[in-house]
Amino acid sequence: CHGNVTLVTCDGGLYTEAEDGGDMSAKKKVLVVDDEGSIREMLRLALEISDFECLEAADIHEANRLIADESPDIMLLDWMLPGGSGIELLRRLKKEEAIQALPVIMLTAKTHEDNVVQSLEVGADDYVTKPFAPKELIARMKAILRRSSSEEGGNELRVGELVLEID
């Protein structure tokens, strides 16, 4: 097979299988929680170029709303935020059964080893310090998403309500 295979679902959603044999799936939603607009904008551009859908929150309250309303696939979370700390948001998320599996990468200026250890112990999947390389961050996200989807999916390929069992 050469080229891309595109499936149009009954609800109008588009799913594409890449030439490299990638899975047919909707764009992954990335929630970027950072109070610095310039960082959110730079990440949005890098994520969109890499075929992710980017959701943005500048504070804890907006992050909570987007988690509930949009069900992101992964979250990039700053430590220091208006309305509370990112580490406290992470702690609350990991206690809620419905969303505790949401992968989280801490993206912060805090470079002390104790901060890294605390984040990982609370439940972060990775820890990246600012300044960061967007290409490396996206590679880390893709690795986490591959691991989390292989743990969840087993031998099924899901496209909307369509489920394909793979033998």
Side-chain angles (χ1 to χ4, degrees):
C1 230
H2 296 287
N4 291 342
V5 177
T6 301
L7 171 68
V8 180
T9 62
C10 295
D11 64 356
L14 293 177
Y15 299 89
T16 302
E17 181 177 9
E19 285 186 54
D20 64 358
D23 290 342
M24 286 176 53
S25 59
K27 283 186 177 184
K28 296 289 186 183
K29 292 181 187 178
V30 180
L31 174 55
V32 177
V33 185
D34 198 303
D35 59 326
E36 294 182 47
S38 59
I39 290 180
R40 288 194 318 272
E41 181 179 350
M42 185 265 302
L43 281 170
R44 180 180 45 77
L45 293 172
L47 290 166
E48 288 174 353
I49 288 169
S50 297
D51 209 29
F52 287 97
E53 180 180 341
C54 185
L55 308 169
E56 300 177 40
D59 58 44
I60 297 289
H61 304 294
E62 182 68 5
N64 281 320
R65 186 190 68 74
L66 288 170
I67 291 167
D69 294 348
E70 299 289 337
S71 300
D73 296 295
I74 191 167
M75 178 168 58
L76 305 177
L77 179 61
D78 190 10
W79 189 302
M80 299 173 285
L81 294 164
S85 73
I87 197 75
E88 287 304 317
L89 174 60
L90 177 61
R91 191 171 276 122
R92 284 195 311 270
L93 291 176
K94 295 304 174 179
K95 289 180 182 175
E96 294 183 35
E97 188 175 332
I99 53 176
Q100 66 186 188
L102 174 64
V104 177
I105 298 176
M106 295 299 294
L107 184 61
T108 179
K110 289 186 171 277
T111 59
H112 197 275
E113 178 184 16
D114 291 343
N115 299 125
V116 176
V117 170
Q118 182 182 8
S119 293
L120 295 171
E121 287 179 346
V122 168
D125 296 277
D126 203 351
Y127 192 99
V128 176
T129 57
K130 297 174 186 175
F132 59 91
K135 288 173 89 173
E136 178 185 344
L137 176 62
I138 290 170
R140 288 174 179 268
M141 287 174 36
K142 287 179 178 179
I144 290 169
L145 289 167
R146 272 193 311 272
R147 285 192 301 271
S148 66
S149 68
S150 68
E151 290 169 5
E152 294 170 5
N155 292 332
E156 293 181 349
L157 175 62
R158 293 183 176 271
V159 180
E161 293 182 27
L162 177 67
V163 179
L164 176 64
E165 293 181 9
I166 302 167
D167 293 325

